[in-house]
Amino acid sequence: MTIKSMALAILALGGMTCGSLADEKAPPIGPAVKDLPLFDAHMHYKEPAWQRYSVETVVELMDRNGVAMALVSSTPDEGTIMLFEYAPSRIVPELRPYHGSAGSSNWTKMDGMEEYLQGRLETYPHEGIGEFHIHQLDTSDEPLFRKIIKMAKDRDIYLHVHSGAEPIRWLYGLDPDVKIIWAHAGLSTSAQEVYGLMDEFPELLADTSLREWDIAGPGDKLSPDWVEIILDFQDRLMIGSDTWVNSQWENYSAIMDMNRMWLSQFPRPIAEKLAYKNAERVFGRTISMGQIGTR
């Protein structure tokens, strides 16, 4: 059974039960989750996708899945700008450092990176810097990161950071007031460590892209550890897709169905926060199904 068929079957049945939700006052939102607008907090429009998935096709995919808006970064940044210029009411642009020979493993070492970021931020209306990777923390990168933090703070925007827990602690050590979205909630970081870091830094936000299966858990119940994370940090989490390769675009509907599946098992107020209301607050937008079909 595909992700899509499984998710739709679960929604049709009204959702699974989860004992960890027993303390919540409201019942699960169930099939009504299909009526919620979604904010995709982790989308890329990278160069390999440009010919196969035109900007019109991307927005049509968003429409088909009830995705009212998306936070987009791209390699190179021109992809983000193309999407934003086509559908400015649907795209929240953020600036990814990767371009030319600068990629995820070497971007902090590239000559001219500070000038590149500064120039793009001055030219385009980016509302974040990232998503960027810190694969292995190198404290000799501190001068560049201090400048990046200043760029973000001068504009009151977020850093969108793909890393484990330690680089997040390090960034907060450089400036405790820096605003961070933790990409994939750490991706391979354990649920226990995710909980600990979110608890340690009360302003830290996270997107849950690529965590769908972790949250869904084995068998017919949500992961208890992830239920605890979602209940305790419900104001600081946002769903996402991570269209980092074309196969993610091919599976976009299935990914969004999977997100709706696990959201369906939470009470409406919690499901709404993760689906779109947290993004409304974070990015100062109004998000609704009325945006579907618009640009």
Side-chain angles (χ1 to χ4, degrees):
M1 181 179 285
T2 66
I3 297 175
K4 180 176 181 179
S5 61
M6 180 184 73
L8 291 177
I10 290 167
L11 287 178
L13 292 172
M16 299 182 291
T17 60
C18 180
S20 299
L21 297 182
D23 292 337
E24 294 299 302
K25 302 296 184 184
I29 188 173
V33 75
K34 292 181 289 187
D35 300 325
L36 297 184
L38 299 180
F39 181 94
D40 185 341
H42 194 130
M43 181 184 283
H44 302 299
Y45 188 48
K46 298 168 69 173
E47 189 168 8
W50 294 353
Q51 288 192 334
R52 188 168 180 182
Y53 296 92
S54 66
V55 290
E56 294 89 349
T57 300
V58 170
V59 175
E60 287 169 3
L61 271 173
M62 293 170 64
D63 288 345
R64 196 178 308 156
N65 290 281
V67 177
M69 298 188 76
L71 177 64
V72 181
S73 66
S74 305
T75 307
D77 185 49
E78 281 77 8
T80 296
I81 300 308
M82 284 192 292
L83 260 184
F84 173 75
E85 289 181 343
Y86 176 74
S89 69
R90 307 287 296 280
I91 303 300
V92 178
E94 60 176 352
L95 174 58
R96 201 173 208 193
Y98 311 157
H99 67 286
S101 58
S104 67
S105 62
N106 68 344
W107 69 275
T108 61
K109 308 300 183 185
M110 299 299 291
D111 290 339
M113 182 54 68
E114 177 190 354
E115 292 76 15
Y116 172 79
L117 294 173
Q118 190 72 49
R120 300 294 293 188
L121 289 170
E122 290 174 355
T123 305
Y124 300 104
H126 293 293
E127 299 186 39
I129 302 174
E131 176 225 15
F132 59 73
H133 295 67
I134 305 178
H135 291 299
Q136 187 170 358
L137 183 59
D138 182 349
T139 56
S140 70
D141 291 330
E142 178 176 333
L144 175 62
F145 275 103
R146 286 194 178 278
K147 292 171 182 175
I148 291 172
I149 289 170
K150 185 178 187 306
M151 293 179 202
K153 290 186 69 176
D154 286 348
R155 294 164 175 80
D156 193 27
I157 60 178
Y158 282 84
L159 303 185
H160 198 170
V161 186
H162 180 135
S163 75
E166 193 53 37
I168 301 295
R169 289 192 178 92
W170 181 73
L171 289 169
Y172 277 121
L174 296 182
D175 190 325
D177 296 322
V178 64
K179 297 167 69 172
I180 297 175
I181 300 171
W182 193 17
H184 319 293
L187 192 57
S188 58
T189 304
S190 71
Q192 292 80 8
E193 194 169 6
V194 171
Y195 189 100
L197 196 71
M198 298 291 288
D199 189 51
E200 182 178 353
F201 298 102
E203 302 303 318
L204 177 63
L205 307 181
D207 76 66
T208 62
S209 62
L210 301 184
R211 288 293 209 172
E212 297 87 13
W213 285 105
D214 295 333
I215 296 169
D220 64 348
K221 291 186 177 181
L222 297 180
S223 161
D225 289 339
W226 274 98
V227 168
E228 185 177 16
I229 290 168
I230 290 166
L231 293 180
D232 286 358
F233 307 114
Q234 58 189 264
D235 295 317
R236 295 156 53 194
L237 300 169
M238 299 176 285
I239 66 162
S241 64
D242 191 14
T243 50
W244 69 284
V245 289
N246 281 354
S247 60
Q248 289 291 96
W249 284 117
E250 293 166 10
N251 293 320
Y252 192 77
S253 294
I255 293 166
M256 287 298 125
D257 286 340
M258 190 64 175
N259 277 299
R260 289 190 190 273
M261 183 276 287
W262 64 260
L263 285 172
S264 74
Q265 299 170 68
F266 289 89
R268 175 179 286 274
I270 297 174
E272 287 178 341
K273 288 177 183 180
L274 275 75
Y276 72 98
K277 285 192 172 180
N278 288 341
E280 282 190 321
R281 183 189 73 249
V282 170
F283 296 106
R285 299 297 204 282
T286 298
I287 300 171
S288 75
M289 291 297 279
Q291 291 162 286
I292 304 303
T294 73
R295 290 166 48 188

